[in-house]
Amino acid sequence: MSTPGQLSGAPAVFDPFDPALIEDPYPVFARLREEAPVLHLPDYGVWAVTRYADVLRIVRDPVSFSSKVGMSPEFAARGGASTGVGYRIGAPKVRVLIATDPPEHQVFRHAVAAAFTPASVRSLADKVREFARQRADALVRAGTGDFFGLVAEPLPVLVLAELLGVPEEMHDEFRHWSRVITGDLDQVGRTEEPLGRGLGMFRYFSQQLRRRRGDGRTLFDSIARAGRSGISSQEVLAFCAFLLVAGIETTTNLLTNAMAVLLSEPEVQHLLRERPELIDTAVDEAIRYDTSVQALWRGTTVETELSGVRIPAGQRILVVFGAANRDGAKFPEPDRFLPGRGATDHVGFGAGPHFCLGAHLARLEIAEALRAVLGATRWIEQAGPGKRTRSVVLRGFLEQPVRAEPR
């Protein structure tokens, strides 16, 4: 065993909160995997782990690497999170899916799992296809417009609203609430927000859940039934808020990241137009290549060793999924986007007990969006500089100007 991994000028080379890292973190990740795959960043009280094998081991071993410890709201980064995620998604004694370990995790997961099975997702396919075509038509009508605002953001809102049974007049409100939660994850240049921000979201969720007896078929009914499984009313509300991020923002970001590939690599766009049968495998390649969830935290419950580096118990670990998905030891030519690669063993959806519940739905949404947009256009090109999210956790665009030539 060695002493903690060292990298010359480590804070300057890998500062997870450095805005300069937002545009393209992957060269830094490559250097970390090579020189310091397990890097201690004492200024942030965290260990960054970047190799695929180590990341997979962490997410598959919740006993040694706890989500409950790692995702607690008191994380030691830039003064903590007294509002933000700690307030709106989780708080002391309020459990949330992403910050629980088995067996508690399975209680939350089981409450809504039926809504996200492959069969349930297949039953939504026609509706998702219809929504995707609507958004693609809006993009074509605009000619030059924002792919984020016209397609990537509204499509997951429409799908989640369909699952929840939310009326159309609430869709814009859902988009706003999703931005509230995502803003909490923006740790770069963050400013404190009033605690009252987002209270309307909880009022709406509370009203809806009181009206549901849990015997219907919407996702709200499934969540209402969770209250019978030992989950408190506060935890049920926190779960609803978490769904806005899990069900909307991650898919929105994946869509913008996939579009970024089509804009920056014309040969990929051309290939998918010529061979649309590759779109399904291209979706997983997009998730591997530039995943929307770049990193999450875990906490060590025992002293452990990763890549020859000893980590004491009680330490916070930043599990860098974005780096693991570009590990050449696992994926040949990792920095190339290969639409036919067909690799589904990336960690863009995590792995182990926390494997993303909505993975099947996210794949469907992205595939149908790409089919609709490519089918409705002759070509798409960038129409101006984009604006990326500024989060350690989420990677995507907030603005993505494109010019769409109609078919």
Side-chain angles (χ1 to χ4, degrees):
M1 289 187 293
S2 72
T3 56
Q6 296 296 317
L7 189 65
S8 177
V13 171
F14 184 54
D15 178 350
F17 298 96
D18 183 357
L21 200 68
I22 298 300
E23 191 60 34
D24 185 8
Y26 296 108
V28 173
F29 290 165
R31 186 179 173 192
L32 287 173
R33 284 193 307 268
E34 179 66 27
E35 299 180 22
V38 181
L39 179 66
H40 189 207
L41 300 175
D43 289 349
Y44 298 113
V46 71
W47 300 68
V49 177
T50 49
R51 285 182 179 167
Y52 179 89
D54 291 333
V55 165
L56 199 63
R57 178 185 163 194
I58 290 169
V59 296
R60 286 180 170 175
D61 182 4
V63 174
S64 303
F65 303 96
S66 167
S67 295
K68 183 176 182 179
V69 173
M71 293 294 293
S72 61
E74 297 83 12
F75 66 88
R78 296 279 168 96
S82 57
T83 60
V85 176
Y87 167 66
R88 273 179 275 272
I89 293 186
K93 299 183 181 179
V94 176
R95 300 167 298 173
V96 69
L97 182 71
I98 199 173
T100 55
D101 298 319
E104 286 181 311
H105 180 77
Q106 273 63 31
V107 174
F108 284 88
R109 195 176 180 94
H110 179 71
V112 295
F116 299 102
T117 63
S120 295
V121 170
R122 282 194 298 272
S123 71
L124 281 171
D126 288 344
K127 203 68 179 176
V128 173
R129 193 172 300 117
E130 176 188 340
F131 290 149
R133 288 171 178 167
Q134 290 174 4
R135 301 322 309 163
D137 288 346
L139 182 67
V140 169
R141 287 196 302 271
T144 298
D146 181 10
F147 179 78
F148 169 84
L150 291 170
V151 180
E153 187 187 32
L155 177 60
V157 172
L158 292 168
V159 174
L160 185 60
E162 180 75 13
L163 276 169
L164 288 167
V166 172
E168 185 175 351
E169 59 267 23
M170 290 295 300
H171 290 178
D172 287 343
E173 196 74 4
F174 256 55
R175 293 171 74 173
H176 168 71
W177 292 337
S178 178
R179 294 187 198 112
V180 168
I181 300 298
T182 308
D184 294 337
L185 297 172
D186 182 354
Q187 294 292 327
V188 180
R190 177 176 156 208
T191 58
E192 292 298 323
E193 296 283 358
L195 286 177
R197 187 169 169 258
L199 285 180
M201 167 180 65
F202 287 115
R203 280 195 294 269
Y204 177 77
F205 289 152
S206 182
Q207 290 167 359
Q208 291 300 310
L209 291 168
R210 283 199 303 270
R211 293 172 184 169
R212 315 280 174 141
R213 296 197 303 267
D215 54 1
R217 300 181 63 182
T218 73
L219 188 52
F220 262 136
D221 290 292
S222 296
I223 297 169
R225 286 194 292 272
R228 305 170 187 171
S229 306
I231 299 174
S232 72
S233 58
Q234 294 94 333
E235 289 166 345
V236 169
L237 290 175
F239 186 77
C240 290
F242 170 72
L243 277 177
L244 290 183
V245 176
I248 296 176
E249 286 302 324
T250 55
T251 304
T252 290
N253 289 336
L254 286 172
L255 281 166
T256 62
N257 292 346
M259 177 53 64
V261 173
L262 300 185
L263 298 174
S264 63
E265 300 192 29
E267 68 279 4
V268 172
Q269 186 179 159
H270 178 76
L271 178 63
L272 293 182
R273 290 180 181 280
E274 292 293 314
R275 298 185 57 192
E277 71 274 11
L278 289 176
I279 286 176
D280 287 330
T281 54
V283 167
D284 265 297
E285 178 68 346
I287 297 165
R288 180 203 68 83
Y289 185 78
D290 198 13
T291 190
S292 61
V293 181
Q294 285 282 296
L296 285 175
W297 292 270
R298 294 291 191 274
T300 55
T301 61
V302 295
E303 182 178 289
T304 190
E305 181 184 348
L306 295 168
S307 287
V309 176
R310 185 176 62 251
I311 305 174
Q315 297 292 297
R316 189 64 52 83
I317 294 178
L318 186 66
V319 188
V320 190
F321 300 114
N325 281 338
R326 295 282 192 106
D327 190 340
K330 174 63 180 177
F331 304 104
E333 299 183 277
D335 295 319
R336 288 189 63 198
F337 186 97
L338 302 174
R341 187 190 296 269
T344 59
D345 52 353
H346 55 75
V347 287
F349 290 128
H354 281 268
F355 182 79
C356 176
L357 260 174
H360 297 297
L361 183 58
R363 286 186 174 108
L364 174 66
E365 292 180 57
I366 299 164
E368 292 301 338
L370 292 179
R371 286 191 184 96
V373 169
L374 293 175
T377 60
R378 292 182 183 274
W379 197 252
I380 304 172
E381 61 187 11
Q382 190 168 333
K387 178 183 177 182
R388 278 201 173 271
T389 56
R390 303 178 304 168
S391 169
V392 176
V393 174
L394 298 177
R395 177 171 169 80
F397 286 85
L398 296 171
E399 297 174 8
Q400 199 170 34
V402 299
R403 187 175 296 106
E405 179 185 347
R407 187 172 290 277

